[in-house]
Amino acid sequence: MNMAETTKLTRKEKKALKERMKHLRSGKLEKRYARMGYLFMIPWFIGAGVFLAYPLISSFWYALNNIRITPLGRVFTFVGKGNFTQILIQDPDFLVQLVDYLTSTILSTPIIVVFALLIAMMLNMRIKGKGFFRLIFFLPVIIVSGPILKMLTAEGAGSISAIDVQSLTAAIGSVLPSMLAKPISDVFSNMITTLWYSGVQILIFLSGLQKIDKSMYEAAKIDGGSGWECFWKITLPNLKSMILLNTIYTIVFISSNSQNPIIVLIQNSMFSGTKEKGYGYASAMAWLYSVVVLLLVGLFTLLLTTRKDQYEKQVKRSKKLKKKEARNLKRIERRNSRNAKRIEKQRAKGKITTHTTSRSDY
Amino acid sequence: MMGTKDREGFLKQFSVYALLICIGFIYLYPILHMISSSLMTLDDLLDSSIKWLPSSFNLENFRQAAASMDFWRALWQSVVLAGVPTICNLLSCSVIGYGLARFDFPGKKIVMGIIILSFVLPSQITMIPTYVLYSNLGIQNTIWAFVLPALFGQGFNAPIFILIFRQFFRQIPKVLIEASRIDGAGYFKSFYKVALPSAAPAFITVALFSFVWYWNESYLTELYVHGIYGDSNWTTLVIQLDNFSDNYSSYQQTATNAATDLNESINMAGTLLSILPLMILYFVLQRHFVESIDRTGITGE
């Protein structure tokens, strides 16, 4: 498409080109190649159909129904959006948990990512015992799982006893409204478990840091750039895609962690014996939850991708400037030629005899 | 490189070490706490003067926790429940990753999009129909509930593994595969004779991560394999830990010798027991774990 735009083909020519491309595409080898590609992908296509598409669609159908399990089988009664309204209006837990989940995720995701970046940068320095520290920081990835975290927080090993959480909570509570204060103090009181989530992220950042060309830093140093400037103008722009990757990974990890109260709630209502709950109700909950998670991921992606870095900004500015100059130049040329024509005309009429009397802009 | 090492100030170096050691301690704190309190007797727990070092080296807690968790059976089943789906994951994800890396076919971008979307999508959304599907197929509460999706590239966290394999196979020079084709190898032969042997690091990474993630998964294991009412004979260490207090109280009733009441020490001993196998695995294979992400080049995306 880009090529078509730049060469400014007419519609007819474009069509002809397309026709020709089609013709070119249908090479025998190419076709066989594509066929082999499909052959290798067959397991995935089957899997995606049976274990992804089918459950996704039927989950939506479940969400629109009230499902009761009787000795004869599952009885579906169509309730439309009834499950959703019931969850949003009548369920005492779901909305509260959802808001809790949202605030704590929005708070702890940046903490985890920034923390991981800091650790990775420290590990990337010339220090002794790098392997040992890497070993420690990656350890949580191996052992972190819902029941273990549950056990640790229950026994009070999830928070740092040196930080006085009580007074901290009180201090936060006196400054901020209670809606914000609770998640913040929650994050602090589970500081260790929050930090424990950052093992994989540290390694991703570390390998990203090692890929940055050292000569860039040397060049910056020669130009008099400080370490602070180097961080903002070299390190961060180079790690941009990795920051996005880590953010998404963090959100997904937090959302699927079995400590998350919402997914426990979904499971509980799935096997709840009450009349209005059950599979349909739980499916509706799962849909709402998934939409929220997707929106959250989308929000962070937008936040991280729309911000242009310094370099792109400058390129854009200089392009704009160049365009303006070109426009000015064109205008000047046009005026020159106009003036020249006028002078020519007047000279033809014999009105002007010398150059000194003619009015010129230049 | 050797000559141009510019010295960093002593203060800076010192502060970096101090920070790293502090944070490292915070990281290890729960584990140290776990080890120390799992060795304590009840008297040590109640004695406020004993903070870290127990007065005697007491292994009684471990004995009781192991007995109540049915440790050896749970360990064996954990290994099977994490190992078999991992092997299936390796088989399916390597094939799919190769298909994505080497071939151009119409709709490849859509496939990639779906793979990434299926990673972001919470598993809860497909959980209920999948549960119904498994019970219709009669594979619910059996290991097949994990093996079957893994065989078709839909196992737990499979999108990551597919992307790792894809990234890896793309790094293999195309010429190598073309050369094998010219020498008369078919598509499959050039896959398993040329591409697979050179992807050993990817296999190690995926195997380790898949094993660890399957091992630590409790939510879906409880739903699909263990059974929500505990009605199957499959269990894992993590699930045994999840139901630790119930297990312990039932053990306490049947135990012939007078078992002590559930206390912090026994809880911590149980927790330590359930992570011990993975910790040992980690310290034995530490190089592979730590360097895995470097080598797979997942950061190239």
Side-chain angles (χ1 to χ4, degrees):
Chain A
M1 210 176 99
N2 252 333
M3 230 178 67
E5 265 175 21
T6 46
T7 50
K8 277 182 189 156
L9 297 173
T10 61
R11 199 185 247 170
K12 218 174 183 180
E13 274 173 323
K14 250 191 228 168
K15 213 173 173 186
L17 194 74
K18 227 180 192 174
E19 205 76 1
R20 228 174 52 219
M21 291 290 279
K22 231 187 230 166
H23 193 69
L24 278 177
R25 279 258 164 93
S26 64
K28 246 187 189 163
L29 190 68
E30 196 96 3
K31 228 177 193 172
R32 202 188 311 154
Y33 222 62
R35 233 178 8 238
M36 286 315 289
Y38 284 127
L39 199 60
F40 273 94
M41 294 298 292
I42 279 179
W44 187 82
F45 283 119
I46 296 173
V50 178
F51 298 109
L52 189 68
Y54 164 71
L56 211 61
I57 294 164
S58 45
S59 162
F60 191 68
W61 174 240
Y62 282 15
L64 299 177
N65 282 283
N66 183 5
I67 300 163
R68 299 191 60 193
I69 298 171
T70 61
L72 295 170
R74 284 176 291 275
V75 180
F76 287 65
T77 0
F78 189 78
V79 289
K81 61 185 197 312
N83 280 329
F84 292 100
T85 49
Q86 201 179 3
I87 289 166
L88 292 177
I89 294 166
Q90 286 179 6
D91 198 300
D93 294 330
F94 187 75
L95 263 187
V96 178
Q97 305 276 30
L98 198 66
V99 171
D100 263 9
Y101 158 80
L102 266 179
T103 38
S104 73
T105 310
I106 289 175
L107 271 175
S108 51
T109 303
I111 292 179
I112 291 170
V113 173
V114 169
F115 176 78
L117 180 60
L118 283 178
I119 296 285
M121 279 172 59
M122 279 198 271
L123 289 181
N124 197 34
M125 286 178 187
R126 249 184 241 104
I127 54 166
K128 289 198 182 76
K130 197 186 266 186
F132 173 69
F133 283 119
R134 268 205 308 199
L135 199 66
I136 289 177
F137 290 128
F138 197 65
L139 182 64
V141 177
I142 309 301
I143 57 178
V144 80
S145 74
I148 283 157
L149 283 180
K150 194 176 85 182
M151 208 56 132
L152 285 176
T153 38
E155 299 295 355
S159 62
I160 313 157
S161 48
I163 297 178
D164 193 352
V165 179
Q166 286 295 326
S167 62
L168 203 69
T169 315
I172 293 167
S174 64
V175 181
L176 292 167
S178 64
M179 210 194 101
L180 266 175
K182 193 186 164 290
I184 291 179
S185 58
D186 272 358
V187 166
F188 271 108
S189 57
N190 288 323
M191 203 62 196
I192 293 181
T193 48
T194 310
L195 297 189
W196 265 24
Y197 289 145
S198 53
V200 171
Q201 289 89 321
I202 289 175
L203 285 199
I204 291 178
F205 273 138
L206 198 58
S207 73
L209 281 171
Q210 276 158 2
K211 275 192 190 125
I212 299 176
D213 198 351
K214 292 270 185 311
S215 56
M216 271 204 255
Y217 289 103
E218 277 162 26
K221 222 172 238 172
I222 289 166
D223 286 346
S226 63
W228 182 248
E229 280 174 317
C230 281
F231 170 72
W232 287 104
K233 299 201 169 157
I234 299 174
T235 313
L236 218 51
N238 271 302
L239 288 180
K240 222 169 125 188
S241 59
M242 254 141 268
I243 293 173
L244 180 67
L245 183 77
N246 276 339
T247 309
I248 293 176
Y249 179 84
T250 309
I251 296 173
V252 169
F253 191 82
I254 293 176
S255 311
S256 64
N257 182 11
S258 70
Q259 262 225 312
N260 187 341
I262 297 180
I263 66 175
V264 177
L265 197 69
I266 293 174
Q267 203 184 48
N268 286 343
S269 51
M270 182 175 163
F271 293 102
S272 151
T274 52
K275 203 167 61 185
E276 60 273 3
K277 288 189 180 176
Y279 287 8
Y281 192 79
S283 296
M285 264 188 185
W287 266 91
L288 282 177
Y289 176 58
S290 305
V291 168
V292 167
V293 171
L294 284 185
L295 281 180
L296 200 61
V297 170
L299 177 79
F300 271 100
T301 313
L302 269 182
L303 273 180
L304 287 170
T305 47
T306 47
R307 258 190 60 200
K308 293 201 175 59
D309 54 46
Q310 205 64 24
Y311 175 72
E312 272 174 44
K313 239 187 223 165
Q314 277 185 4
V315 166
K316 213 171 183 187
R317 200 182 297 152
S318 78
K319 261 185 189 163
K320 231 181 195 170
L321 222 70
K322 253 186 189 162
K323 237 182 191 170
K324 210 173 170 187
E325 263 172 24
R327 222 170 29 231
N328 265 342
L329 219 69
K330 241 180 199 164
R331 202 191 294 149
I332 290 164
E333 264 173 25
R334 263 204 309 271
R335 195 153 51 189
N336 270 355
S337 65
R338 212 163 47 225
N339 283 350
K341 248 181 218 160
R342 200 166 54 210
I343 291 167
E344 201 65 32
K345 229 188 240 166
Q346 289 184 340
R347 190 176 285 157
K349 282 180 183 168
K351 277 185 182 168
I352 299 166
T353 48
T354 52
H355 278 291
T356 45
T357 51
S358 72
R359 193 178 63 83
S360 164
D361 280 324
Y362 300 99
Chain B
M1 217 48 272
M2 278 165 71
T4 58
K5 181 187 175 182
D6 40 357
R7 284 179 201 290
E8 276 157 33
F10 170 74
L11 203 68
K12 191 178 167 193
Q13 199 121 51
F14 178 76
S15 55
V16 166
Y17 276 115
L19 258 176
L20 277 178
I21 289 168
C22 277
I23 297 170
F25 176 71
I26 292 174
Y27 255 69
L28 287 182
Y29 173 81
I31 296 166
L32 295 176
H33 178 91
M34 201 175 355
I35 294 171
S36 99
S37 60
S38 67
L39 290 171
M40 287 181 186
T41 58
L42 193 62
D43 294 336
D44 286 351
L45 265 184
L46 297 173
D47 191 344
S48 61
S49 66
I50 294 175
K51 195 104 204 247
W52 284 101
L53 283 177
S55 58
S56 63
F57 200 68
N58 176 28
L59 289 175
E60 179 63 18
N61 295 321
F62 286 100
R63 212 186 52 72
Q64 291 192 351
S68 75
M69 283 167 87
D70 201 354
F71 180 74
W72 292 108
R73 188 176 75 101
L75 175 69
W76 167 242
Q77 293 193 341
S78 296
V79 171
V80 173
L81 264 185
V84 177
T86 295
I87 294 168
C88 301
N89 250 343
L90 284 177
L91 290 175
S92 65
C93 293
S94 60
V95 171
I96 295 166
Y98 187 76
L100 281 174
R102 272 281 158 256
F103 300 100
D104 282 319
F105 49 87
K108 193 170 146 184
K109 280 208 173 122
I110 300 170
V111 170
M112 283 297 290
I114 294 174
I115 287 176
I116 290 168
L117 187 76
S118 68
F119 170 61
V120 177
L121 212 62
S123 60
Q124 277 68 38
I125 198 167
T126 56
M127 172 180 93
I128 297 159
T130 313
Y131 182 75
V132 173
L133 180 74
Y134 289 164
S135 63
N136 286 346
L137 289 175
I139 59 171
Q140 180 198 352
N141 293 353
T142 66
I143 194 173
W144 285 102
F146 268 5
V147 169
L148 216 58
L151 267 181
F152 293 108
Q154 295 293 327
F156 189 59
N157 275 342
I160 299 182
F161 303 138
I162 292 175
L163 290 183
I164 288 176
F165 273 118
R166 170 179 169 270
Q167 194 62 28
F168 212 89
F169 285 130
R170 267 159 54 129
Q171 285 169 2
I172 298 172
K174 214 173 180 172
V175 200
L176 218 62
I177 299 203
E178 273 163 14
S180 75
R181 301 265 301 112
I182 290 166
D183 285 349
Y187 287 100
F188 290 104
K189 203 165 191 183
S190 65
F191 169 61
Y192 72 82
K193 285 262 171 172
V194 179
L196 281 195
S198 48
F203 273 94
I204 291 171
T205 308
V206 171
L208 289 179
F209 273 91
S210 172
F211 189 81
V212 166
W213 277 333
Y214 266 110
W215 182 289
N216 281 332
E217 176 59 38
S218 61
Y219 188 82
L220 294 177
T221 314
E222 196 160 15
L223 188 66
Y224 294 152
V225 183
H226 176 66
I228 206 77
Y229 308 111
D231 44 1
S232 96
N233 40 22
W234 282 99
T235 186
T236 66
L237 280 176
V238 177
I239 286 176
Q240 290 296 78
L241 183 68
D242 204 15
N243 306 324
F244 192 68
S245 57
D246 294 344
N247 284 339
Y248 193 80
S249 59
S250 69
Y251 157 75
Q252 206 177 8
Q253 280 162 9
T254 56
T256 46
N257 57 339
T260 48
D261 282 335
L262 187 61
N263 59 38
E264 190 188 337
S265 295
I266 295 174
N267 268 339
M268 287 291 116
T271 317
L272 196 61
L273 276 178
S274 71
I275 61 172
L276 203 61
L278 278 189
M279 292 254 273
I280 294 169
L281 185 79
Y282 178 57
F283 285 114
V284 172
L285 300 173
Q286 40 160 309
R287 280 189 73 83
H288 294 294
F289 271 109
V290 173
E291 285 165 14
S292 55
I293 292 180
D294 261 3
R295 277 182 308 190
T296 50
I298 197 175
T299 46
E301 279 304 287

